[in-house]
């Protein structure tokens, strides 16, 4: 690896699985040859924390960093906080087996002058660690994009997490959660996505709370392609008229339609104020609603929209024209 590194290199991805002493030597040589790095993605074995800290200190121009698992420590945080150009950060938490490891692995952004330019944050971690991270970190007024992933969180953990994110990141424009659902958010939110293994169920109250919290939402994706199909669960079609009158800025709606939900009647006399003002794409994912001869989704959505809407799904795609 080392002979191919040069002083003009700006982007580097390293997967290094060698004995500890060999790893230290390779990192030392790489750091001395790459002073102008702007993007660094590393996968390292354990026991190379000090070497990675040293490499970060020798790369002051870094704008994007992806850390290996089990490297979310105080020393790493301090080294990252000293990177004045850092705008993107990706973290991977490992699985801990002792209390000491768990405590040290709680990444928090409390450097007084650090992370001033951080705009995008991506983290894969247990949900309780994500909650702890945002609850104990300083306010991130400049962060615009957050992507969080975790497995099988409890509903109260999802609520606590999104509440903590909303408090710490008032300027957030995009949240992608691969874990669960919360109706908490910020007025500036433009994109909200959820990916779940089962069809994501939503109630009328949930929908109204989301519309109230996110008046400027432009894309809403509620697990349109769950990993498993069920006979119950998903987005009831009867909620489409309610969504139409409340999400005036919504351009893209992605849902998995509840196969057991009641179907609304289409009404071309729907007043303009009760229609989707901006909707252009309705994605029904893997739900079978487009293949159901008893449901004419095109007529239903067409009566609820001011603009021409494309309906997408695994089974087929159709386009609707609003009633003139």
């Amino acid at each position: 690896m080392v002979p191919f590194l040069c002083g003009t290199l700006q982007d580097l991805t390293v997967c290094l699985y060698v004995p500890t002493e060999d790893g230290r030597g390779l990192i030392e040589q790489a750091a001395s040859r790459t002073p102008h790095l702007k993007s660094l993605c590393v996968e390292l074995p354990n026991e190379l924390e000090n070497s990675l800290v040293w490499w970060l200190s020798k790369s002051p121009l870094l704008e994007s960093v992806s850390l290996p698992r089990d490297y979310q420590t105080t020393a790493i945080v301090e080294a990252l906080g000293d990177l004045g150009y850092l705008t993107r950060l990706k973290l991977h938490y490992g699985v801990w087996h002792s209390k000491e490891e768990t405590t040290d692995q709680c990444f928090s952004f409390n450097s007084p002058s650090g992370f001033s330019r951080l705009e995008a944050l991506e983290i894969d971690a247990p949900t309780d660690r994500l909650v702890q991270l945002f609850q104990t970190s300083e306010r991130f007024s400049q962060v615009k994009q957050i992507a969080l992933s975790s497995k099988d969180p409890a509903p109260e953990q999802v609520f606590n997490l999104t509440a903590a994110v909303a408090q710490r990141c008032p300027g957030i424009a995009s949240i992608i959660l691969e874990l669960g659902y919360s109706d908490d958010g910020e007025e500036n939110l433009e994109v909200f996505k959820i990916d779940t293994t089962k069809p994501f169920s939503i109630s009328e109250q949930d929908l109204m709370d989301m519309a109230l919290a996110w008046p400027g939402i432009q894309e809403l994706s509620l697990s349109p392609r769950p990993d498993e199909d069920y006979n119950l669960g998903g987005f009831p079609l009867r909620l489409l008229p309610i969504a139409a009158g409340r999400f005036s800025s919504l351009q893209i709606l992605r849902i998995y339609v509840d196969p057991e939900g009641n179907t609304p009647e289409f009404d071309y006399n729907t007043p303009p104020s009760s229609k989707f003002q901006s909707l252009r794409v309705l994605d029904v994912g893997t739900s079978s609603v487009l293949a159901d001869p008893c449901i004419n989704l095109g007529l239903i959505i067409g009566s609820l929209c001011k603009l021409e809407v494309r309906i997408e799904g695994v089974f087929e795609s159709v386009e609707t024209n609003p009633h003139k």
Side-chain angles (χ1 to χ4, degrees), residues 258-270:
D258 184 353
E260 299 296 324
N262 295 327
T263 303
E265 298 291 336
F266 67 90
D267 181 7
Y268 279 121
N269 293 319
T270 302

Side-chain angles (χ1 to χ4, degrees), residues 63-75:
E63 300 174 1
S64 175
V65 174
S66 177
L67 290 179
R69 293 186 182 276
D70 300 318
Y71 275 77
Q72 293 25 274
T73 64
T74 301

Side-chain angles (χ1 to χ4, degrees), residues 197-270:
T197 56
K198 299 179 181 179
F200 176 75
S201 296
I202 188 170
S203 68
E204 180 176 342
Q205 188 61 52
D206 291 334
L207 201 62
M208 292 191 295
D209 288 344
M210 293 164 70
L212 181 63
W214 307 327
I217 193 78
Q218 296 180 17
E219 180 177 352
L220 185 60
S221 180
L222 304 177
S223 194
R225 291 167 173 77
D227 295 337
E228 305 172 17
D229 290 330
Y230 289 78
N231 291 327
L232 294 176
F235 190 103
L237 284 178
R238 62 177 178 79
L239 295 185
L240 280 176
I242 297 172
R246 287 170 171 79
F247 290 90
S248 60
S249 299
L250 191 64
Q251 299 178 21
I252 301 174
L253 177 61
R254 304 186 190 279
I255 56 176
Y256 180 91
V257 177
D258 184 353
E260 299 296 324
N262 295 327
T263 303
E265 298 291 336
F266 67 90
D267 181 7
Y268 279 121
N269 293 319
T270 302

Side-chain angles (χ1 to χ4, degrees), residues 144-166:
K144 301 289 190 298
Q145 301 174 4
I146 290 180
L148 306 175
S149 58
S150 187
K151 293 183 178 180
D152 301 323
E156 63 272 13
Q157 289 180 319
V158 178
F159 174 82
N160 292 336
L161 175 58
T162 51
V165 171

Side-chain angles (χ1 to χ4, degrees), residues 30 42 51 67 99 130 177 200 232 247 281 316:
V42 287
S51 298
L67 290 179
K99 182 177 180 180
L130 293 173
L177 302 179
F200 176 75
L232 294 176
F247 290 90
V281 175
E316 60 179 307

